Amino acid sequence: MRDIKSLKPLIEKEFAESLEKVSIIKLVDLFVEYAYAIGASDIHIEPTKDMLRVRYRIDGLLYDSFKEAKIKKELHQEVVSRIKVLAGLRTDEHLLPQDGRFKVVIEETGGVDVRVSIIPTYYGENVIMRVLAETQTFELDTFGFSPADLKKIRGAIAKPYGMILANGPTGSGKTTLLYTILKQLNKPEVSIITIEDPIEYSLDGTTQIQTNTDVGLTFAAGLRSILRQDPNIIMVGEIRDEETASVSVQAALTGHLLLSTLHTNDAATTFPRLLDMGVPSFLVASTVNVAISQRLVRKLCQSCKVERKMSREEIRSLKELIPSLDEDMKFYSPKGCEECNNAGYRGRIAIHEVLEVRDSIQKLIMSRADANEIKEAAIQDGMTTMIDDALISAGKGLTSIEEILRVIHE
């Protein structure tokens, strides 16, 4: 595969060509190859009043990689049409949103799946391409879980039934975590069926279903049908309504291991959220095996990070936000070098809290305790909170205090 330094000039060269000489096919392929090379998760192709803007999301933040190139607005429609052709979308439709996907084969790296979302805007169609590399492989051991948390998760996935729930905001790596667990569970003697919106990765040996609300194939309707297909393990992309929550709990209660995601701020809020969706407290208490809350923080570039001495005022302010802060802890800050493209950060790591449902937690759920009470009981049972997990990573020089605070306040 070509490196970043050689790819960027190639793209800028295409931008500089006259419209008649630009190879749109080559340009779109280069967009994806460049995204893969720099580790970007998304490509944003955005029309403005008089030019085209191309941005890449790297480690959660957007970068205007070709700001100086002043991309001609005339390229916009050509690029969008090419992407529509690749994704099997209607090229004559400009007023309705469209979704699709395509694959690009990059030399020496294999296939890269690209998920496409196109919406009409004031200045033309906006395209977002999510880059999903097939060659990316994840193992639970590399997710950054502490040995104690890893033991809890392995215990939960070893059970033949119950629920494993991953929580966090959009883009926090919940689905990637569930795919990693499914990969561990994927054996010839078990049947795994997923229902997703959309299907993120292709997982050989499993049956994957894409929701389609136009024909009534919702998470809940799909899940009811899945239960008639004799599965051992089920993954539901997201529990977002009462019906899906109810059917999911029933599935977990009747001998299936069910994995899903919820949008909650922490692990403890999982249980009040399910109760708010109308699931009886005794069913929540008896079906959820473990709730995992997760965020992604940027990882300090290990080539240029610098040790930082905190002032008394900074420590005092931080103690108000993070009472568990150790004043003698070593901290590090980003500097920037050629290795990290002067960003000071390179890659991301996950910070977690893993709440195992033990007897003490079950009693609190049954009595409809609030999230704070459940969290306190979990801490008493040995749960490491997400903020404490983040501080451990900061103390090891893996991330910075600034990055932790940025993610906490998001």
Side-chain angles (χ1 to χ4, degrees):
M1 190 186 78
R2 290 173 286 201
D3 62 15
I4 301 166
K5 286 180 180 176
S6 64
L7 283 167
K8 193 171 181 182
L10 284 173
I11 296 171
E12 288 173 337
K13 185 184 174 187
E14 292 295 327
F15 289 153
E17 293 279 12
S18 63
L19 197 59
E20 297 77 28
K21 292 184 179 179
V22 176
S23 170
I24 299 296
I25 293 172
K26 181 182 175 184
L27 184 60
V28 172
D29 285 350
L30 284 170
F31 282 161
V32 178
E33 189 176 347
Y34 184 68
Y36 184 83
I38 62 176
S41 60
D42 301 88
I43 308 166
H44 288 231
I45 298 172
E46 305 158 330
T48 65
K49 185 180 178 181
D50 49 17
M51 60 179 284
L52 181 62
R53 193 182 192 194
V54 179
R55 296 191 291 171
Y56 288 82
R57 189 175 294 281
I58 307 166
D59 298 336
L61 299 180
L62 278 170
Y63 292 88
D64 204 339
S65 303
F66 302 102
K67 191 176 181 180
E68 307 302 319
K70 301 286 183 190
I71 310 164
K72 297 182 287 287
K73 179 74 180 280
E74 291 75 25
L75 275 176
H76 170 248
Q77 196 51 56
E78 300 291 330
V79 168
V80 173
S81 294
R82 173 59 184 165
I83 292 167
K84 283 181 177 179
V85 168
L86 286 169
L89 303 177
R90 285 183 56 184
T91 54
D92 61 341
E93 178 57 75
H94 306 291
L95 301 176
L96 289 174
Q98 295 192 74
D99 297 300
R101 63 196 305 151
F102 63 90
K103 186 179 286 188
V104 172
V105 177
I106 297 173
E107 243 179 272
E108 299 171 20
T109 64
V112 176
D113 254 342
V114 181
R115 201 172 74 222
V116 178
S117 172
I118 301 176
I119 59 167
T121 69
Y122 186 72
Y123 289 117
E125 289 172 292
N126 206 70
V127 181
I128 308 296
M129 296 194 286
R130 169 66 55 92
V131 179
L132 304 161
E134 286 185 351
T135 50
Q136 274 186 317
T137 54
F138 298 100
E139 300 291 339
L140 273 177
D141 294 336
T142 60
F143 254 78
F145 289 108
S146 68
D149 284 346
L150 203 53
K151 187 179 177 183
K152 291 176 191 175
I153 294 168
R154 290 197 190 283
I157 67 177
K159 292 179 180 178
Y161 59 88
M163 295 176 78
I164 295 169
L165 298 174
N167 308 326
T170 302
S172 59
K174 303 184 298 296
T175 305
T176 302
L177 173 59
L178 293 189
Y179 268 101
T180 303
I181 293 172
L182 283 182
K183 191 180 161 194
Q184 302 251 317
L185 294 166
N186 193 8
K187 296 182 175 71
E189 60 270 23
V190 297
S191 168
I192 298 175
I193 305 180
T194 76
I195 180 158
E196 305 166 64
D197 180 27
I199 294 169
E200 294 273 2
Y201 300 97
S202 173
L203 195 59
D204 289 341
T206 68
T207 302
Q208 295 174 275
I209 303 165
Q210 165 82 48
T211 61
N212 186 347
T213 51
D214 292 342
V215 296
L217 182 55
T218 60
F219 280 124
L223 186 50
R224 289 185 197 280
S225 298
I226 287 170
L227 291 172
R228 295 192 287 273
Q229 291 279 311
D230 188 31
N232 300 99
I233 299 156
I234 302 165
M235 185 178 94
V236 179
E238 184 186 345
I239 296 174
R240 58 172 73 146
D241 56 60
E242 291 182 17
E243 191 182 4
T244 308
S246 176
V247 182
S248 297
V249 168
Q250 290 296 332
L253 199 64
T254 53
H256 304 89
L257 186 64
L258 187 134
L259 287 66
S260 192
T261 68
L262 274 175
H263 284 284
T264 62
N265 289 328
D266 60 12
T269 311
T270 300
F271 310 101
R273 177 64 54 86
L274 289 172
L275 295 175
D276 289 343
M277 287 181 177
V279 182
S281 57
F282 73 93
L283 287 180
V284 175
S286 56
T287 55
V288 180
N289 295 340
V290 70
I292 308 161
S293 195
Q294 178 170 298
R295 298 286 188 284
L296 295 177
V297 294
R298 288 183 296 165
K299 186 179 179 183
L300 282 169
C301 175
Q302 301 301 294
S303 300
C304 66
K305 66 180 182 183
V306 290
E307 194 174 330
R308 176 184 174 183
K309 184 74 176 170
M310 306 284 279
S311 70
R312 286 184 178 278
E313 289 75 21
E314 284 177 313
I315 290 170
R316 194 180 301 115
S317 298
L318 281 170
K319 286 284 277 186
E320 289 175 14
L321 290 167
I322 311 169
S324 56
L325 182 77
D326 179 358
E327 295 179 21
D328 298 322
M329 188 183 283
K330 277 186 180 179
F331 293 111
Y332 298 83
S333 286
K335 184 184 177 186
C337 66
E338 196 173 304
E339 286 281 313
C340 59
N341 204 22
N342 289 315
Y345 295 93
R346 192 177 185 191
R348 287 191 288 180
I349 56 169
I351 53 173
H352 314 89
E353 60 185 32
V354 180
L355 198 163
E356 185 180 26
V357 180
R358 298 180 182 174
D359 292 345
S360 57
I361 304 296
Q362 284 183 330
K363 287 172 185 174
L364 287 170
I365 296 167
M366 294 279 281
S367 64
R368 303 184 74 90
D370 64 26
N372 288 331
E373 291 175 86
I374 294 171
K375 187 172 187 174
E376 285 302 317
I379 291 168
Q380 292 294 319
D381 278 348
M383 182 184 83
T384 302
T385 64
M386 200 183 307
I387 191 67
D388 285 338
D389 192 44
L391 284 174
I392 291 167
S393 293
K396 291 176 181 174
L398 296 176
T399 190
S400 66
I401 281 289
E402 294 89 347
E403 180 66 4
I404 291 168
L405 294 175
R406 181 185 71 84
V407 170
I408 288 170
H409 290 304
E410 271 188 349

